[in-house]
Amino acid sequence: MQLSNSDTNSLLFSLMLENMNILCLFVLTTIGVRIDANVNVKVMIKQPFPAEFQSLESAIHNHITTAIQDWSSHFETAPCTLDVEFSLQNWANRGGGRSFASVNFENQDLPGKIILDQGASYEMRTGIDPNGEGTPDIEIFFDPIYFRTLWFDPDPTMRTATMPNQNEGKLDAYSVILHELGHALGFNGFLSQTTGQMTGNYLSVYDRWVNFDGRNFFFNGPNTLTFYGRPVILAHTKNGYHHVGEFEDMTDPNLAQDLMNGFALEYSHRYYISLLDVAILLDCGMTLQNTNRQNVFKKNHGNINDKMMNLPEPPAI
């Protein structure tokens, strides 16, 4: 039987969801990060770097490299090297992550609108570096005060070490870096945070699935609708619409526990890439990694029959 793109995506996520406990929405990978041989990572720490943090430079490299491998392990990738620039800069107890470059998305423009892809995702998918070899592809930065609250895991590939007590006020550095990389790979855009209107003649691959009803933002990508069953409400009160969940609408309180939530990351809590996060990045153009699909099926269905294994991969959209 020949499956259309939408049929393939729907069937894939239906198989994922069948008989799944709702908690699986928020925990896709729990122990161990699979290394993606296609994706190499180079981390450059911008100098001058404060003396009080120099002992953490190795941990910073390790956490960023492992977190990129964590994200890339869920998707089809091409051989590439992602260059990451890490820095500390004053920004009111916050951090940020983004791609340095935007790229036209597969020549898929809408009438009067240019669709832009995140440069890092484009490179991960195609192996083509849009801003030149050796030039930073991704920026991650933290305010120094905020950076002092981060706890670095002795082994971020396994994430089994005992975390600090909650009263110590420490955030899991790996979770925070994983979150910021989510923005660099797709959770990003150009819409007005107050009106939901375009700020130019361009949309990000994320923006094209975002609707604003005059009060709330919603993500309506086809893979996400198939997986989640309804539009996902996005943040606007306490954070940007590039995050899932809204503080003033707790219809689904589970969204507050998602890696890409717009509430806050809690002290002494590990966050993981969720199936919802993966679905959203599929809607932003990524393609599900075959090995990951097999592992998800094995986890939720036991042995996989040949019919499941022969399903075609959902194409990038």
Side-chain angles (χ1 to χ4, degrees), residues 9 35 100 133 242 246:
N9 292 338
I35 300 302
F100 272 111
E133 186 177 349
H242 322 104
E246 164 50 33

Side-chain angles (χ1 to χ4, degrees), residues 57 71 220 280:
E57 289 191 21
W71 276 111
N220 295 276
I280 289 174

Side-chain angles (χ1 to χ4, degrees), residues 2 53 63 68 141 188 242 247 254 265 274 276 316:
Q2 183 68 37
F53 302 128
H63 277 59
I68 289 177
F141 58 93
N188 218 331
H242 322 104
F247 180 74
N254 288 317
L265 300 186
S274 72
L276 178 60

